Amino acid sequence: MKRALPINRHVAQRVGFTAITLMAIATVLPIVAVVIYILIQGLPAISLEFLTGFPHDGMRAGGILPAIIGTVYLTIGTAIFSVPLGIGAAIYLSEYAADTPLTRTIRIAIINLAGIPSVVYGLFGLGLFVLFLNFGTSILAASLTLSIMTLPVIISTAEEALRSVPQAFRTVSISLGATRWQTIQQIVLKEGLPGILTGVILGLERAAGETAPILFTGAAFFLPRLPHSPFDATMALPYHLFVISTQVPEMPIQIQYGTALVLLVFVLTMNLIATVIRSRARAKRQW
Amino acid sequence: MEKSLSWREFAITRLIKASGYSAILFVALIFFFLVREGFPTFGEVGASSLLSIRWYPIEDYFGILPLITGSLIVTIGAGLIAVPFGIGTAIYISEIAPRWMREILKPLVELLGGLPSVVLGFLGFLVLSPFLRAFLNLPTGLTALTGSLLLGGIAVPTVVSVAEDALDAVPRAYREGAWALGATRWQTIWRVTLPAARSGVLTAIMLGVGRAIGETMTVMMVTGNAPVLALKLGSLFSPVRTMTATIAAEMGEVASGSVHYHVLFFIGMLLFLISLGVNIAASSVVFRAKKRAERILS
């Protein structure tokens, strides 16, 4: 049998730990660098005119208001469809579903929805909403496409939040004469709310930053006005960034970084809100 | 009062059940519409033309092999980056990092998962690709390698979060047992914790690779979009075009119902089937591991 000196094992551990630590740093550092770099490069472009004006001179000057408003519309549109449906599905999985083949099929379906490439969602939205249901390239079609893409995120985080509510809470409520739905509505949903909110925001954050699903379902290259109805196409921040960085020649670099910064702030704010809600709920939890 | 209450209960229960089943409906609908629009490809193009090496839709060349190899080379490159760094970071967060460090790292990795891919593509296009061109002395910085580097970053959060969950789920008693037998923490990680979590770690790798193969905007912006067959290692340093980027770049200019339109849907169908395969394989790994655990415990 080989006899290793104990010191060698400890040296190996020290070397190994250092290597793993460096790997973790190498993974995280670029994220911080990306955020700081865009902040530094984009900040000079930010002005009131940039945030509240319309683009002009072939988008090479002016503001990005229509893209900002468009992303807000799409995010709200996505929320309208995906939040009730996602929470409903989470309630079903956590409170109603027994471990049957059907339930397992639902879970596999959710896992698969989460894995489908975003551009395939775009194709699906084009086929079903834009052409088959004749919504045209519109906010409605894009929101519906984004909703289905967002669904698995909302379902899985909301289900986890509901499951973490102790079983005793339900038992007590039912024993006091409440119906199942009253128990869910007034006890389970209330206690699980912070977790559900976190999931909803993280899901919508992803929808707000996506480009591929809206490429053929609702995104407009350039619009001189704001959309009037859900059946209008719209500009959107991620698509606008793609357009001005690859499709428009001689685009001022500052506007590109400014647009990237606005999109980043939009998304990071949602991320921050979700993180704060979660850590507050954890600190407050008494069970 | 009683009656309306029970009626409401009934209606709400139905609604909740319906939203639970909706996930199955959506997967079926997605598949149905991809097949509906993609299936005519077989009649219009023919297998031999489809499996040729020339993609030039304007002259009716619809060979998808270059697109498949393009997706493969970029994804393999991304996997080579995301797997070691993702698992390393997961090990660090779950086994090595002090608590305060964990509290900083986890949200940061989550943040990377939330960064819009178009922002990464934008920076890749403006910063990374000129740097690589100068650093490696290439004719263009828009290469498969550029795509792989960025995709690696995009796949990392998936690998980290799934692998970390798997490591977290290993009972503490396993580690304590190893320590009690005199193993160092490092030995424990490699010989006890990681093997115990291997099915979860495998799932993490598969889901990370699945994420990379489906990514669109970033690769479209940084890989140069040249549909050439990428079979050699050298292809890593030249432009390629992936399946996803082809759909995104060309669908906007195609008349609906044309041959080109059907072929793009056909590519979408392939992507759907790939992600379906990856995800079913990933969940069956977990399922089998669970069964094994049950066998051992019974």
Side-chain angles (χ1 to χ4, degrees):
Chain A
M1 200 182 130
K2 205 171 79 182
R3 281 183 64 184
L5 286 169
I7 189 80
N8 288 345
R9 302 187 306 151
H10 295 288
V11 171
Q13 162 150 320
R14 185 160 293 176
V15 173
F17 274 23
T18 313
I20 294 276
T21 309
L22 287 176
M23 268 177 129
I25 292 172
T27 304
V28 171
L29 216 53
I31 311 167
V32 182
V34 161
V35 174
I36 292 176
Y37 186 75
I38 289 187
L39 200 66
I40 292 171
Q41 295 283 329
L43 219 46
I46 306 298
S47 65
L48 195 64
E49 201 227 331
F50 186 71
L51 296 175
T52 60
F54 281 77
H56 49 80
D57 295 343
M59 298 194 271
R60 292 185 190 85
I64 54 167
L65 181 71
I68 298 176
I69 299 285
T71 289
V72 172
Y73 282 170
L74 287 174
T75 310
I76 295 173
T78 305
I80 291 174
F81 298 113
S82 66
V83 170
L85 204 55
I87 296 179
I91 294 175
Y92 176 73
L93 287 174
S94 140
E95 309 297 315
Y96 289 89
D99 186 21
T100 59
L102 181 68
T103 311
R104 255 171 270 151
T105 314
I106 294 177
R107 289 190 190 285
I108 290 176
I110 293 169
I111 292 171
N112 278 304
L113 279 180
I116 293 173
S118 54
V119 72
V120 174
Y121 276 106
L123 287 180
F124 163 67
L126 174 68
L128 175 59
F129 301 125
V130 177
L131 298 174
F132 186 74
L133 295 175
N134 217 358
F135 293 158
T137 17
S138 60
I139 297 179
L140 180 64
S143 300
L144 284 166
T145 310
L146 288 172
S147 307
I148 299 178
M149 190 197 78
T150 310
L151 217 47
V153 182
I154 297 185
I155 295 176
S156 42
T157 37
E159 192 201 342
E160 204 179 310
L162 295 176
R163 279 191 186 277
S164 72
V165 177
Q167 198 56 40
F169 285 29
R170 298 179 180 85
T171 321
V172 168
S173 169
I174 299 271
S175 73
L176 288 173
T179 63
R180 202 166 188 184
W181 171 245
Q182 286 171 330
T183 304
I184 291 169
Q185 188 188 10
Q186 288 163 26
I187 309 292
V188 185
L189 276 181
K190 205 176 133 236
E191 298 295 331
L193 192 63
I196 295 175
L197 268 181
T198 309
V200 166
I201 298 172
L202 287 177
L204 293 179
E205 172 197 349
R206 203 180 142 210
E210 271 293 355
T211 319
I214 63 171
L215 273 178
F216 349 106
T217 56
F221 191 82
F222 172 69
L223 278 182
R225 51 173 179 79
L226 296 178
H228 293 307
S229 88
F231 292 98
D232 283 350
T234 182
M235 292 176 78
L237 279 171
Y239 182 59
H240 188 62
L241 178 62
F242 168 69
V243 164
I244 62 176
S245 62
T246 59
Q247 314 283 304
V248 182
E250 288 166 44
M251 188 72 207
I253 199 86
Q254 213 184 37
I255 293 188
Q256 300 183 32
Y257 275 111
T259 309
L261 177 60
V262 173
L263 174 59
L264 205 61
V265 168
F266 195 98
V267 167
L268 293 191
T269 309
M270 290 170 86
N271 196 299
L272 194 70
I273 293 172
T275 312
V276 169
I277 292 176
R278 184 169 42 194
S279 57
R280 275 211 179 157
R282 266 195 201 142
K284 229 171 62 183
R285 184 185 291 183
Q286 284 160 353
W287 29 272
Chain B
M1 178 64 204
E2 268 300 298
K3 193 151 196 188
S4 80
L5 196 72
S6 69
W7 187 86
R8 223 181 113 204
E9 183 93 12
F10 175 80
I12 286 170
T13 308
R14 279 300 130 104
L15 272 178
I16 286 175
K17 275 193 182 160
S19 37
Y21 300 153
S22 70
I24 301 177
L25 174 77
F26 289 136
V27 174
L29 269 179
I30 291 172
F31 187 59
F32 173 76
F33 272 90
L34 292 174
V35 170
R36 191 178 112 115
E37 308 288 337
F39 201 70
T41 302
F42 288 113
E44 292 163 352
V45 181
S48 63
S49 171
L50 210 55
L51 292 176
S52 73
I53 57 165
R54 185 144 184 229
W55 176 265
Y56 197 63
I58 299 171
E59 292 185 4
D60 287 335
Y61 288 102
F62 294 108
I64 57 171
L65 280 186
L67 314 179
I68 294 176
T69 57
S71 277
L72 275 181
I73 194 167
V74 174
T75 305
I76 291 171
L80 290 179
I81 295 162
V83 169
F85 280 93
I87 293 176
T89 306
I91 292 176
Y92 181 74
I93 291 178
S94 153
E95 309 293 318
I96 300 174
R99 201 188 156 80
W100 60 269
M101 193 68 179
R102 198 175 314 168
E103 299 298 317
I104 297 174
L105 285 182
K106 278 182 80 162
L108 273 178
V109 172
E110 215 167 74
L111 188 89
L112 178 62
L115 283 184
S117 60
V118 69
V119 171
L120 289 175
F122 168 71
L123 278 185
F125 185 71
L126 274 183
V127 182
L128 182 63
S129 93
F131 169 77
L132 284 179
R133 187 174 60 120
F135 186 67
L136 298 172
N137 198 16
L138 299 168
T140 169
L142 301 174
T143 62
L145 178 70
T146 325
S148 292
L149 286 171
L150 288 170
L151 271 196
I154 289 175
V156 155
T158 310
V159 178
V160 174
S161 69
V162 180
E164 198 223 322
D165 276 350
L167 290 170
D168 249 5
V170 174
R172 197 173 157 74
Y174 284 29
R175 299 184 183 91
E176 284 167 350
W179 296 333
L181 290 171
T184 62
R185 283 172 67 200
W186 181 243
Q187 287 171 323
T188 307
I189 290 171
W190 284 105
R191 300 197 194 161
V192 177
T193 318
L194 212 50
R198 69 171 176 275
S199 66
V201 173
L202 201 60
T203 307
I205 293 171
M206 285 195 265
L207 293 180
V209 170
R211 178 94 175 72
I213 213 167
E215 181 44 55
T216 311
M217 296 315 288
T218 312
V219 284
M220 177 155 90
M221 291 167 88
V222 303
T223 55
N225 290 327
V228 286
L229 208 59
L231 293 177
K232 304 181 299 288
L233 194 66
S235 309
L236 206 53
F237 301 102
S238 54
V240 293
R241 166 185 279 217
T242 66
M243 300 160 76
T244 51
T246 306
I247 299 174
E250 294 176 9
M251 190 44 109
E253 295 147 19
V254 159
S256 74
S258 65
V259 180
H260 191 179
Y261 172 90
H262 290 145
V263 177
L264 291 179
F265 266 94
F266 177 75
I267 298 171
M269 207 169 89
L270 288 184
L271 282 169
F272 176 89
L273 291 175
I274 292 170
S275 83
L276 198 73
V278 167
N279 282 298
I280 287 180
S283 38
S284 77
V285 168
V286 176
F287 185 66
R288 253 187 295 143
K290 232 183 237 168
K291 278 212 157 154
R292 194 172 52 230
E294 276 161 16
R295 231 180 14 245
I296 293 169
L297 291 177
S298 64

